[in-house]
Amino acid sequence: MGRSAPPPAGDLPPDAFFERARRVLPVSHHDALMAALTEPRPVWLRVNTLVATPQEVRSSLGVPTEPGPWPEALRVEPEHRSAVLRHDLYGAGAIYLQSLSSQAAAPALDPQPGEEIVDLCAAPGSKTSHLAALMRTGTLVANEVSKGRSHKLRAVLAQLRVSGRESLDVRVRTGDGVRFRGHRECFDRVLVDAPCSGEGRFHVGDPRSWGGWSPRKVKVTASKQKALLHAAIDATRPGGVIVYATCTLAPEENEGVLARALKRYDGVVHLEPLPVPLETALPALTQWGAGKGFPPSIAEHARRIPPGPAWDGFFLARLRKAE
Ligand SMILES: C[S@@+](CC[C@H](N)C(=O)[O-])C[C@H]1O[C@@H](n2cnc3c(N)ncnc32)[C@H](O)[C@@H]1O
């Protein structure tokens, strides 16, 4: 993963990113990271089961699809992307373009019918709409800090037929997710799909993907993530579940944020196994930098998805609040 043989087109993220990534990822994953940065990204659909079944989509889409690790996930070749976007199924909200890693977050939360759930950082709504399809009945609060992105969120929820359902009360809220700490123990489950440095989605075709990245930005972002995860824990009922997700490789934003929450909420939350098949995932790190190491339950239960031919870089952890 050197910079001696640059890819054919585009610029590359800063050297400091590569220096860190070499320490974060095992050597066996360095070439895969470079390939993920430079080769066309895989195209994954999620079948919106509020509108159609995977079988219906596969038989009507008109382009070859490969099944993914769960029934709603279908892979199509990048050259068929625009045909998919033009298809009536897309217009009808039956399919949604969503990376495989992103598709793992809602099943990791495992929402149940009739529950009260909040998605703390929701726009543009990929995971909120997935949560809706899994729970079907109950209350789903989709919160987003940015007004502009809230509009996009509403549009996606309308497009995917999530809003306006009699059995599902969907409420879009615009504001800082941290204020949910005031909704003490109100929700059965909370998803924190945190704003992050996005290292798992860097790509040469999209220099904006790393624009603004710096080691300092990673630190600042980790502090915001910490506040969001603490608010999520405060807002969860005893016995409830919190999922913490990012699309970055940065340990400060992943293991570091979990370690601080486990310390602050010692005896109140614990990590538990992720109920999703993540075949290429790595255990979370046990140590980063000069610190004294992360609590062992983090490596045991949290998972890093390294960037690869099918998956974007991602991090997922599931916490349970004590009864
Ligand atoms: C990783 S994206 C979420 C993607 C979304 N969950 C999805 O699957 O479509 C993070 C989002 O958090 C929002 N955000 C940033 N800071 C926030 C905060 N303090 N409270 C709530 N949302 C925040 C960002 O504007 C961004 O839309």
Side-chain angles (χ1 to χ4, degrees):
M1 193 183 55
R3 298 191 60 181
S4 48
D11 204 355
L12 283 173
D15 283 335
F17 163 72
F18 287 99
E19 187 272 316
R20 284 170 53 92
R22 266 193 290 271
R23 292 193 287 132
V24 169
L25 292 173
V27 174
S28 53
H29 287 72
H30 290 184
D31 287 348
L33 172 67
M34 207 58 202
L37 273 164
T38 54
E39 287 170 12
R41 297 306 296 139
V43 178
W44 286 96
L45 312 179
R46 177 171 57 80
V47 176
N48 178 16
T49 55
L50 293 174
V51 175
T53 65
Q55 293 79 356
E56 285 163 349
V57 169
R58 291 193 83 177
S59 61
S60 320
L61 193 59
V63 302
T65 57
E66 261 181 61
W70 40 83
E72 307 98 293
L74 297 176
R75 186 175 184 158
V76 301
E77 289 304 319
E79 70 257 30
H80 297 309
R81 190 176 191 276
S82 44
V84 166
L85 293 176
R86 285 194 310 267
H87 201 282
D88 286 350
L89 284 169
Y90 190 83
I95 50 179
Y96 184 72
L97 289 186
Q98 187 175 358
S99 79
L100 199 51
S101 303
S102 167
Q103 290 190 38
L109 192 66
D110 191 25
Q112 298 298 309
E115 287 186 331
E116 290 181 72
I117 293 182
V118 61
D119 183 353
L120 219 54
C121 308
S126 320
K127 298 177 190 76
T128 311
S129 54
H130 198 179
L131 290 169
L134 295 174
M135 62 193 288
R136 287 175 178 263
T137 65
T139 301
L140 181 54
V141 179
N143 181 73
E144 166 59 43
V145 76
S146 148
K147 255 193 196 160
R149 288 177 64 84
S150 276
H151 292 312
K152 174 73 182 157
L153 169 63
R154 282 179 207 277
V156 167
L157 298 182
Q159 162 74 14
L160 297 188
R161 313 289 187 262
V162 171
S163 14
R165 304 184 82 77
E166 222 166 79
S167 56
L168 185 65
D169 182 7
V170 181
R171 304 174 191 176
V172 174
R173 297 282 179 262
T174 305
D176 191 335
V178 172
R179 77 198 195 293
F180 274 77
R181 70 180 164 216
H183 295 256
R184 272 206 108 65
E185 304 195 330
C186 284
F187 295 95
D188 297 296
R189 295 174 202 249
V190 181
L191 176 62
V192 186
D193 185 28
C196 70
S197 57
E199 296 174 355
R201 295 175 58 87
F202 286 0
H203 195 270
V204 291
D206 179 15
R208 280 175 314 172
S209 61
W210 68 78
W213 182 92
S214 70
R216 179 171 154 65
K217 179 95 185 287
V218 166
K219 275 198 192 137
V220 172
T221 307
S223 154
K224 290 184 186 156
Q225 291 158 337
K226 180 200 81 161
L228 285 163
L229 180 55
H230 293 186
I233 294 169
D234 289 339
T236 303
R237 289 196 175 118
V241 177
I242 303 110
V243 162
Y244 180 73
T246 73
C247 60
T248 193
L249 312 174
E252 295 87 342
E253 300 180 52
N254 296 331
E255 291 90 343
V257 170
L258 289 180
R260 287 159 87 172
L262 291 177
K263 189 168 176 200
R264 157 102 178 248
Y265 293 90
D266 185 24
V268 177
V269 286
H270 60 270
L271 284 157
E272 58 179 32
L274 289 156
V276 264
L278 301 173
E279 73 250 353
T280 61
L282 300 168
L285 292 171
T286 54
Q287 169 107 34
W288 175 250
K292 62 178 171 36
F294 300 123
S297 65
I298 295 183
E300 190 183 348
H301 295 307
R303 289 292 173 264
R304 300 183 285 155
I305 304 178
W311 302 77
D312 288 345
F314 209 71
F315 183 89
L316 264 181
R318 176 175 154 115
L319 301 109
R320 171 84 63 177
K321 198 158 175 182
E323 292 281 354

